[in-house]
Amino acid sequence: DGVLNRIARQCKQLTFVGIKGCAQVTDDGVCSLAQYCPLRALVISGIHSLTDKVIFSLASHCCSRLEEMYMAGCARITPAAVRYLEDCCVKRPWIHHKIPNAAPDLLMAKNLDTGEFCKVSS
């Protein structure tokens, strides 16, 4: 997150960020990018630690510019938050949000306490 914070504060014209699958990234780093950079496209797919906080930050700071967003496998980001982002944006961004990011024949269940998806054995 420290690297993302520095990038956000020093690269204030950054419009595209792709940090797919980076396990060290948390809400704070992505929220810094949303706050300081005029993001038009964001790829955060496979970052399992991200939550709705990221979506609310994007809605607050990037709605006038955001065009595309990829967040497949971000199971802690809820569909309701994604709809909120779409509703807040001036132009409807193209958003790819598919959870869980698993094989089609794999049965998964969402733990309502943690919000994480778990395999269900048959």
Side-chain angles (χ1 to χ4, degrees), residues 2-74:
V3 171
L4 285 181
N5 288 326
R6 282 191 297 272
I7 288 171
R9 291 174 193 271
Q10 294 176 1
C11 302
K12 294 188 178 191
Q13 298 304 313
L14 196 60
T15 60
F16 173 83
V17 176
I19 47 178
K20 180 178 178 180
C22 187
Q24 294 84 13
V25 172
T26 68
D27 287 341
D28 293 337
V30 179
C31 288
S32 288
L33 289 170
Q35 183 177 359
Y36 294 105
C37 301
L39 296 176
R40 297 173 66 94
L42 181 62
V43 179
I44 54 173
S45 297
I47 303 176
H48 306 291
S49 64
L50 298 181
T51 67
D52 289 349
K53 180 179 176 182
V54 166
I55 300 302
F56 297 132
S57 182
L58 288 165
S60 295
H61 301 290
C62 298
C63 274
S64 63
R65 299 171 301 274
L66 192 63
E67 296 173 4
E68 291 181 68
M69 188 162 174
Y70 298 85
M71 54 184 157
C74 295

